[in-house]
Amino acid sequence: MSEDYLSDPNIGLRLIPEQASRHAEGVDMLYFALLGFSALLVTVLVGLVVTFGFRYRAGKTFRRRVTASHVGHRVEVGFALSLGVVFMALFAWAGKLYLNVYANTPAQATLNVVAKQWMWKVQHPDGTREINTLHVPANQSVRLRITSQDVIHSFSVPALRLKRDAVPGLYTSVTFVADKPGEYRLFCAEYCGTDHSRMRGKMVVMAPSDYQNWLTRNGTGTTPAAAGKALFRSYGCSGCHMGESSVRAPSLDGVYGRSVALANGGIIIADEAYLRDSIMRPQKHIVAGYQPVMPSFSGQISESDVLQIIAYLQSLKPGDWRTEAP
Ligand code: CUA
């Protein structure tokens, strides 16, 4: 990556970056509303302080000082209530914007982003991989499933008004529609060690047909689910979960999205987080009727491999394993 893109007017630093996603305008409106409201409040309060400072300054005499007990609490209560209403309205507005982007909503394409010191590793739905660059189709909903291999990082693309922490052991997500083809800067926005400042890249927004061409040119032809299937065997998962070994482990075809009864009486939905926990921290949730014998794969398997195994499990439908030999 060359340094000259720092001065590129399209992606260089500016106070307010250009708006390159569908939700960018809403975010900016909220930002300016907060700024405007804060400025108004500061003006009124400082104005009152200065006015009263002059009006009631030392040496000036008054016929009668009005005390709070004479006027009651109408002014205070009115001021506090109206401020409360305004702030709750701002909260609701911001909450709606937040959920729009950060709730775990399905999208037309889901990309995996794994952060590590000090790079961004990306995998596209068809298996194509890239590092520190993120190609996405314009005008389509794109979801990024973000996690970290080591410490906390933060995925930040100012032009798309996106910022989401990459947390080890957790899947976070952003869903957005980029609506302006171009190149935009990607930063790590959480101090993560020596080369934090170098942990950056770019997001390349392309017309959907260009994106498809790009995938065809760079793809490997192996989808995450197919790669996950191979990993499922090479890590030995299939031995207990599919085979007829002496160890009895839950069958996993169709497990994704199903509710699972746990040994402690609880019930959990088998989502991405549950599947990851089951691989990395198998003692966390013991499935009812099974022994806690699964070894932890923490430290032995990369986050990218976990994501691919999850993609494989997601691709399975109930009964799939009955039709194929283990
Ligand atoms: Cu990664 Cu800062």
Side-chain angles (χ1 to χ4, degrees), residues 50-66:
V50 171
T51 310
F52 290 157
F54 269 105
R55 203 162 152 202
Y56 302 110
R57 65 187 181 276
K60 205 145 189 271
T61 49
F62 290 92
R63 214 159 17 97
R64 183 171 66 95
R65 275 192 191 274
V66 181

Side-chain angles (χ1 to χ4, degrees), residues 163-187:
K163 187 187 276 179
R164 189 71 156 143
D165 280 1
V167 184
L170 205 68
Y171 293 136
T172 52
S173 105
V174 294
T175 308
F176 61 93
V177 177
D179 58 3
K180 218 183 270 176
E183 295 191 0
Y184 307 100
R185 302 190 70 187
L186 158 67
F187 297 94

